[in-house]
């Protein structure tokens, strides 16, 4: 499912990519905030990437409310990641 979302993003369909990444993030994100470094491997790697790409894709689609919600959900589950988008 992750690469389907990547394909949508690659085709320039940022709104659909945002939805696909957001659905995947919801499915894969941990119940509790992830510890520092958890985003670097295993299943949480794809949760991390899906959450960040959901927010970025919504931003590219100019769907600001969805982008804000996606960033908020992302930082709730991954509060200790070293690389964050600069907004």
């Amino acid at each position: 499912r992750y690469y389907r979302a990547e394909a949508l993003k690659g085709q320039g369909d940022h709104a659909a990519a945002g939805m696909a990444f957001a659905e995947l993030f919801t499915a894969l994100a941990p119940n509790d905030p992830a510890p520092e470094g958890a985003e670097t491997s295993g299943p949480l790697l794809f949760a991390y990437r899906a959450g960040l790409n959901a927010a970025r894709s919504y931003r590219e689609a100019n769907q600001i409310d969805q982008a804000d919600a996606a960033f908020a959900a992302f930082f709730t589950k991954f509060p200790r990641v070293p690389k964050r988008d600069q907004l």
Side-chain angles (χ1 to χ4, degrees), residues 8 41 74:
L8 290 167
S41 65
F74 172 78

Side-chain angles (χ1 to χ4, degrees), residues 14-49:
H14 298 290
M19 287 176 45
F21 281 125
E23 289 173 6
L24 185 59
F25 177 74
T26 299
L28 297 178
N31 292 328
D32 297 317
E36 185 173 350
E39 75 283 355
T40 61
S41 65
L44 291 184
L45 172 65
F46 284 100
Y48 167 81
R49 289 180 179 176

